Amino acid sequence: MSRTLEDLIAKYPELAVCRTDIERAYETARSSFERGGKMLLAGNGGSAADCEHVVGELMKGFMSPRRLGEAERERFAVWGEEGAYIADRLQGALPAISLVSQSALATAYINDVAADMVFAQQVHGYGRPEDTLVVFSTSGNSVNVVRAVQVAKSLGLATIAFTGRGGGKLASLCDIAIRVPYERTPDIQERHLPIYHALCIMLEEAFFP
């Protein structure tokens, strides 16, 4: 078990019951990125904010600066001094898209088609078999999230859910369900954050040692 995961369990011992699923989520996401895939994320309310948060940790340096290697820097040499400036300020990224960010598309789809399909349509458009869909739902029953997972499964994406104790529909629908042992929404969301922080750190260590 990685030091990061050990630290997580030491700080939040109640999450020991989630250890195996956290390890499986890490392996699944790592495999996806190794195959050139990306991570799609969906959730509502506070869980929507969690989606944005994860993207922020994956798409730029989190615990390390992720400086470009020499081969990558050479691509920008054509721009001279400006190329050096660009290369100095770019960072390695793990591609991730928060499906809650597409406000024009989302509001149009909710208004014109069906509110429960707002994430599913984006999975249909963005998703490829090498990708992973990560969803957050404290109840595990958010209909628009369930629809997204159904589409992802049909397209061959890996699926990971962050839920509360019961897991709801997502517990049996997703490949992996990280069910934190709490019932109240704030208690659940407060534990989701350190888990996805740990996952982001572990992924960063794997790809940007």
Side-chain angles (χ1 to χ4, degrees):
M1 184 171 62
S2 79
R3 176 62 182 271
T4 298
L5 194 48
E6 289 179 357
D7 291 345
L8 173 69
I9 302 302
K11 190 171 184 179
Y12 301 92
E14 69 273 24
L15 296 181
V17 297
C18 303
R19 176 181 295 164
T20 298
D21 291 318
I22 295 171
E23 290 176 327
R24 291 177 61 215
Y26 163 71
E27 295 294 344
T28 296
R30 187 186 69 177
S31 175
S32 172
F33 288 129
E34 285 176 343
R35 289 179 288 121
K38 59 187 174 293
M39 183 179 289
L40 306 177
L41 301 105
N44 300 288
S47 294
D50 287 325
C51 296
E52 300 279 5
H53 194 157
V54 172
V55 170
E57 311 300 20
L58 293 179
M59 285 289 291
K60 58 173 286 296
F62 180 22
M63 302 299 287
S64 71
R66 303 191 195 175
R67 296 183 180 89
L68 300 190
E70 287 304 314
E72 291 178 294
R73 294 180 61 86
E74 280 298 316
R75 297 174 183 172
F76 305 100
V78 64
W79 306 113
E81 290 185 4
E82 290 184 347
Y85 175 93
I86 292 169
D88 285 342
R89 288 159 181 81
L90 286 177
Q91 299 181 351
L94 294 172
I97 301 172
S98 170
L99 303 184
V100 308
S101 301
Q102 317 303 319
S103 58
L105 169 61
T107 53
Y109 216 80
I110 290 167
N111 187 64
D112 300 343
V113 185
D116 65 330
M117 293 294 291
V118 65
F119 297 138
Q121 174 63 23
Q122 294 182 70
V123 173
H124 174 66
Y126 290 128
R128 299 294 181 269
E130 63 271 19
D131 298 340
T132 299
L133 174 65
V134 176
V135 295
F136 293 86
S137 172
T138 58
S139 69
N141 294 314
S142 302
V143 178
N144 56 5
V145 170
V146 169
R147 294 281 181 264
V149 171
Q150 290 171 322
V151 172
K153 299 283 283 186
S154 296
L155 297 179
L157 281 73
T159 54
I160 300 170
F162 283 71
T163 74
R165 189 193 308 274
K169 293 181 180 179
L170 294 176
S172 59
L173 191 59
C174 289
D175 299 315
I176 302 160
I178 300 173
R179 296 182 290 175
V180 301
Y182 286 89
E183 309 290 343
R184 296 174 65 247
T185 293
D187 294 330
I188 296 167
Q189 291 178 334
E190 286 169 11
R191 273 70 180 185
H192 282 174
L193 188 151
I195 293 172
Y196 64 68
H197 265 173
L199 287 171
C200 289
I201 292 170
M202 292 161 67
L203 289 166
E204 183 172 68
E205 291 172 346
F207 289 94
F208 307 100

